Amino acid sequence: MSPSETPEVVLHDLRAGDGLPLVLVHGFPLDHRMWDEVARFLPDGLAVVAPDAPGFGDALLTESEPSIEGIADAVAEALAARGVERAVVAGMSMGGYVALALAERHPGLVAALGLVDTKSVADAPEARDNRLRIADEAERTGSVAPVRGMREALLGETSRATRPDLVAEVGAWIEEQRPEAVAWAQRAMASRPDRTAVLAAYGGPVSVVVGVEDELTPIEQAEHLVESSHDASEAALVLVPDAGHLAAVEEPEHVAGALARLHARVTR
């Protein structure tokens, strides 16, 4: 396969339903399973679809160029193959980068935009360099060791202190990922541009969700998303207590409620 071709994603149906689907894009270094509990708390009859990004979960890693844009195009292509022309799109962290890229490259697809524990700005130079270092190390060692510590970093202080089972589960998910996918995704994220202007131009409903204990993309980043939205007065900011960067896993009912309200803004 040529590196210029669209990478592969695999769509998973988390809930069956009719009408406008909700597409949930996972964060790094996880897969679609991080949305399982959120899907359980969503309203009956709402179709919920979650892709696995290239190399993660059930998606194969091709020789495609690492890019967030490539993931977005692959998601749009996979949805189009199912006849889905419009959807509410929500993404967590890396998935939020993909959601913003979808809003830029496939605006007709994105009926509403959910940004969960994510940001619109590009990485600072030192963060970009760290991503590239981790990518090289994951390839060199052939392991996920360079991101193993994320099992704690992704979770909030409350979860780390009181939910060892959740720490273990997140750790198990990370261990199951492919080292080459870790490297690919880190390079994709390192090369992404600032998409604040995309958010400012996007005219659909926007909901920003953030864990109060998120140390990776803290509340200030969420506030920046709201302030940068096309209609900041209409953009919803939802703070999730007792949760960190993985609010969707730590407090799935709370996050599901926010996404259900976002969906209702389009369909009511």
Side-chain angles (χ1 to χ4, degrees):
M1 172 176 281
S2 166
S4 64
E5 291 188 47
T6 304
E8 175 182 296
V9 301
V10 173
L11 301 182
H12 293 267
D13 295 304
L14 302 190
R15 291 192 68 156
D18 298 316
L20 191 71
L22 173 62
V23 177
L24 302 175
V25 190
H26 67 80
F28 173 90
L30 307 173
D31 56 43
H32 74 279
R33 290 174 293 176
M34 64 155 285
W35 295 110
D36 283 349
E37 287 301 298
V38 168
R40 191 167 69 85
F41 287 111
L42 286 164
D44 291 339
L46 173 56
V48 182
V49 180
D52 277 332
F56 291 89
D58 295 327
L60 297 177
L61 187 63
T62 67
E63 295 179 6
S64 55
E65 187 71 25
S67 74
I68 293 298
E69 297 78 16
I71 304 174
D73 291 347
V75 170
E77 187 176 291
L79 290 170
R82 290 185 167 204
V84 176
E85 299 178 350
R86 199 161 177 262
V88 173
V89 178
M92 175 260 165
S93 196
M94 180 179 77
Y97 309 155
V98 175
L100 283 167
L102 279 165
E104 178 182 44
R105 299 167 71 84
H106 305 275
L109 171 64
V110 184
L113 189 58
L115 300 171
V116 183
D117 293 294
T118 191
K119 59 186 178 182
S120 62
V121 297
D123 285 337
E126 59 272 19
R128 187 180 303 115
D129 290 345
N130 189 54
R131 288 195 192 280
L132 298 177
R133 179 191 63 78
I134 290 171
D136 291 344
E137 189 176 345
E139 281 188 339
R140 180 181 60 80
T141 62
S143 78
V144 298
V147 294
R148 191 167 284 144
M150 290 188 71
R151 72 175 195 168
E152 285 87 15
L154 289 168
L155 298 170
E157 182 180 1
T158 299
S159 294
R160 294 195 300 265
T162 65
R163 302 175 68 181
D165 56 328
L166 188 58
V167 176
E169 181 176 37
V170 172
W173 288 343
I174 292 172
E175 293 294 331
E176 292 170 14
Q177 306 308 328
R178 301 175 179 89
E180 58 270 28
V182 168
W184 191 97
Q186 286 284 39
R187 291 180 179 130
M189 289 187 284
S191 67
R192 78 187 192 281
D194 187 315
R195 283 199 162 89
T196 303
V198 173
L199 182 58
Y202 176 71
V206 174
S207 183
V208 178
V209 182
V210 62
V212 170
E213 300 174 5
D214 189 342
E215 298 167 4
L216 301 181
T217 51
I219 292 174
E220 292 76 17
Q221 290 284 2
E223 291 172 338
H224 174 261
L225 292 173
V226 171
E227 293 163 1
S228 302
S229 297
H230 180 71
D231 187 350
S233 65
E234 291 295 321
L237 176 60
V238 179
L239 303 180
V240 184
D242 301 323
H245 197 58
L246 263 183
V249 175
E250 296 169 89
E251 296 292 339
E253 187 171 9
H254 202 131
V255 174
L259 296 179
R261 292 191 295 274
L262 176 65
H263 191 275
R265 290 172 64 185
V266 183
T267 57
R268 64 186 171 209

